[in-house]
């Protein structure tokens, strides 16, 4: 059963999601949670102003009716604002990894990294795929440490096909056949299938 | 990765939310919750439609329970386990609802029905305000929390809990529901077993 009332993660008694004062709260447009192979979950939050924040959910999971700890003061990453203020968000891929860096003492230090592989956003004009990639091999993400989004954002596919079907309002994954689903304001659910030949990347 | 549109499922009014669990695709429109399934023939069938009050238009959907059954590659279809689950719904008026979904052992197959208002094949069901039965698919409102958000519940997500955090399960799944509203607030819903 649900336990009422719920816990307010961010609200009138705390800082707004966009880091402003509580009376300047921005509407939450979309949420997407992604399990990580190494354990834990990421939660991507898309605000009405197009800003996407990625939060570490492990630290504020619930057990029974007890919130284990307070939510973190800041998201892991901030992204955007994305073009078109997306109304839908979906994390298609996320992974943990380990990188080794050489210290000044010539020792190797292992660091846990966290990578969002694909973040799919639906906004006016269709469904776009945002690939989050490290800007350079030498620059690693200090994952699980709040800070600026360390990834370059590239729009790989504008999703122009089907854009006349309306603006996507929601996204989901249908695992039975491996389809991406997008519900639009025109009353359609677009069933997407991975294209055999990908278009060339469009750098934003 | 690029994606191309393979199929279009028609509804009346905007599709505010779409979600998938097991072999079902669940859609929310301003006045209905619509359940679809992919048939072995490769076509989509609407298996149930539950009308809701427009003031409580569903805006966000989260199927909490994974339904029993599995995908059988030999027949290219979903084998139903005759089970059901729980569907959490965020509404236009700020309400968060819990729905119970019961599935028959055999969902209808071979009937490609894309028209609105019609239910599954062999539907001999009934409807009341908060309960719909079509072809053995039963969708029933079992609980609601009004005023959870000050405005429309725009989105919801299920955050799976790390197994090391405890033994609490909710219909077999560990985790918590998170809802986001137009009021700029994220709520985490604690669950009891």
């Amino acid at each position: 059963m649900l336990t009422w009332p719920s816990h307010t993660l961010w609200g009138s008694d705390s800082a707004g999601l966009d880091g402003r004062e509580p009376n300047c709260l921005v509407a939450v447009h979309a949420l997407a949670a992604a399990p990580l192979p190494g354990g834990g979950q990421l939660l991507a939050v898309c605000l009405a102003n197009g800003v996407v924040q990625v939060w570490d959910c492990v630290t504020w999971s619930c057990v029974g009716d007890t919130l284990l700890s307070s939510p973190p003061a800041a998201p892991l990453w901030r992204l955007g604002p994305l073009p078109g203020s997306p109304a839908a968000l979906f994390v298609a891929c996320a992974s943990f990894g380990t990188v080794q860096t050489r210290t000044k003492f010539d020792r190797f230090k292992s660091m846990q990294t966290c990578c969002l592989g694909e973040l799919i956003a639906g906004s006016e004009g269709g469904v776009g795929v945002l690939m989050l990639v490290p800007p350079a091999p030498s620059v690693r993400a200090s994952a699980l440490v709040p800070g600026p989004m360390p990834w370059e954002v590239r729009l790989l596919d504008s999703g122009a096909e089907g854009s006349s079907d309306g603006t996507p309002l929601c996204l989901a994954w249908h695992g039975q056949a491996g389809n991406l689903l997008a519900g639009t304001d025109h009353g359609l659910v677009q069933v997407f299938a991975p294209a055999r030949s990908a278009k060339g990347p469009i750098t934003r | 990765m690029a994606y191309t549109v393979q199929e279009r499922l028609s509804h009346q009014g905007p599709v505010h939310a779409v979600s998938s669990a097991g072999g079902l695709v669940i859609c929310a429109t301003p006045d209905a919750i619509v359940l679809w399934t992919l048939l072995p023939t490769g076509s989509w069938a609407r298996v149930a439609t539950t009308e809701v009050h427009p003031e409580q238009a569903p805006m966000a959907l989260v199927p909490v329970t994974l339904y029993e059954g599995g995908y059988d590659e030999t027949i290219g279809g979903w084998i139903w386990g005759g089970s059901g689950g729980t569907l959490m719904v965020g509404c236009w008026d700020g309400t968060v609802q819990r729905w119970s979904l019961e599935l028959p052992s055999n969902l209808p197959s071979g009937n490609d029905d894309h028209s609105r208002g019609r239910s599954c094949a062999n539907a001999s069901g009934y409807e009341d305000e908060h309960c719909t039965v079509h072809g053995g698919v039963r969708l029933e409102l079992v609980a609601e929390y009004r005023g959870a958000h000050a405005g429309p519940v725009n989105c919801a997500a299920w955050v799976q809990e790390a197994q090391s955090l405890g033994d609490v399960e909710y219909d077999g799944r560990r985790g918590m529901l998170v809802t986001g509203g137009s009021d700029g607030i994220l709520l985490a819903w604690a669950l009891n077993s």
Side-chain angles (χ1 to χ4, degrees):
Chain A
M1 294 181 61
L2 275 177
T3 297
W4 319 106
S6 58
H7 297 280
T8 300
L9 293 181
W10 296 272
S12 58
D13 57 348
S14 62
L17 275 173
D18 62 347
R20 300 186 219 166
E21 294 300 316
N23 59 355
C24 298
L25 293 177
V26 177
V28 183
H29 266 184
L31 290 172
L36 294 163
Q41 289 250 337
L42 293 180
L43 182 68
V45 182
C46 184
L47 304 179
N49 57 13
V51 171
V52 175
Q53 301 178 352
V54 181
W55 295 80
D56 170 18
C57 295
V58 176
T59 57
W60 43 270
S61 291
C62 293
V63 172
D65 58 356
T66 304
L67 198 62
L68 287 183
S69 62
S70 299
L76 290 173
W77 304 309
R78 295 178 191 271
L79 174 66
L82 300 181
S85 295
L89 204 60
F90 180 76
V91 179
C93 176
S95 63
F96 260 131
T98 302
V99 297
Q100 289 189 327
T101 55
R102 180 174 291 187
T103 69
K104 61 182 180 181
F105 302 108
D106 204 25
R107 295 174 181 171
F108 287 94
K109 178 182 178 183
S110 294
M111 300 184 66
Q112 192 176 48
T113 66
C114 187
C115 168
L116 279 176
E118 282 189 357
L119 186 66
I120 299 176
S123 57
E124 191 172 357
V127 176
V129 178
L130 305 169
M131 179 66 82
L132 309 179
V133 294
S138 59
V139 180
R140 84 287 181 274
S142 298
L144 306 181
V145 176
M149 180 70 185
W151 307 96
E152 177 187 350
V153 180
R154 286 188 297 165
L155 187 61
L156 291 186
D157 192 313
S158 63
E161 299 154 56
S163 59
S164 61
D165 291 343
T167 298
L169 300 178
C170 48
L171 292 166
W173 188 259
H174 185 239
Q176 182 178 344
N179 296 125
L180 175 70
L181 308 172
T184 76
D185 60 349
H186 289 186
L188 295 174
V189 171
Q190 299 168 305
V191 182
F192 286 88
R196 292 185 181 277
S197 58
K199 298 176 182 176
I202 303 170
T203 303
R204 185 172 67 88
Chain B
M1 178 181 294
Y3 296 89
T4 55
V5 177
Q6 190 178 53
E7 181 73 83
R8 291 174 174 84
L9 311 179
S10 298
H11 302 77
Q12 186 164 329
V15 180
H16 287 150
V18 61
S19 189
S20 175
L24 286 177
V25 169
I26 308 166
C27 302
T29 69
D31 58 1
I33 298 173
V34 183
L35 276 61
W36 297 82
T37 191
L38 180 60
L39 300 174
T41 59
S43 59
W44 289 83
R46 185 189 299 225
V47 295
T49 300
T50 294
E51 295 187 355
V52 297
H53 195 285
E55 287 184 1
Q56 291 193 318
M59 303 292 291
L61 295 173
V62 172
V64 173
T65 310
L66 291 176
Y67 307 106
E68 294 180 4
Y71 186 76
D72 189 334
E73 293 184 353
T74 60
I75 66 169
W78 188 267
I79 303 298
W80 296 91
S83 182
T86 298
L87 182 66
M88 306 303 300
V89 178
C91 302
W92 173 259
D93 66 349
T95 299
V96 174
Q97 298 175 334
R98 177 183 171 218
W99 291 72
S100 170
L101 176 61
E102 295 180 15
L103 301 172
S105 57
N106 293 306
L107 274 176
S109 60
N111 185 26
D112 191 9
D113 177 9
H114 281 209
S115 64
R116 184 183 183 277
R118 294 165 60 192
S119 60
C120 59
N122 304 319
S124 56
Y126 65 91
E127 297 183 21
D128 62 23
E129 185 177 2
H130 291 127
C131 178
T132 300
V133 177
H134 281 312
V137 178
R138 179 186 179 91
L139 193 57
E140 182 179 12
L141 177 63
V142 293
E144 64 178 353
Y145 184 73
R146 292 179 180 266
H149 286 272
V153 184
N154 287 336
C155 47
W158 179 259
V159 178
Q160 195 160 346
E161 195 169 13
Q163 291 193 354
S164 59
L165 293 179
D167 297 322
V168 175
E169 292 188 355
Y170 182 66
D171 284 356
R173 293 187 71 186
R174 303 164 189 266
M176 65 179 179
L177 175 74
V178 178
T179 57
S182 59
D183 54 3
I185 293 175
L186 276 186
L187 294 178
W189 298 84
L191 305 176
N192 275 340
S193 57

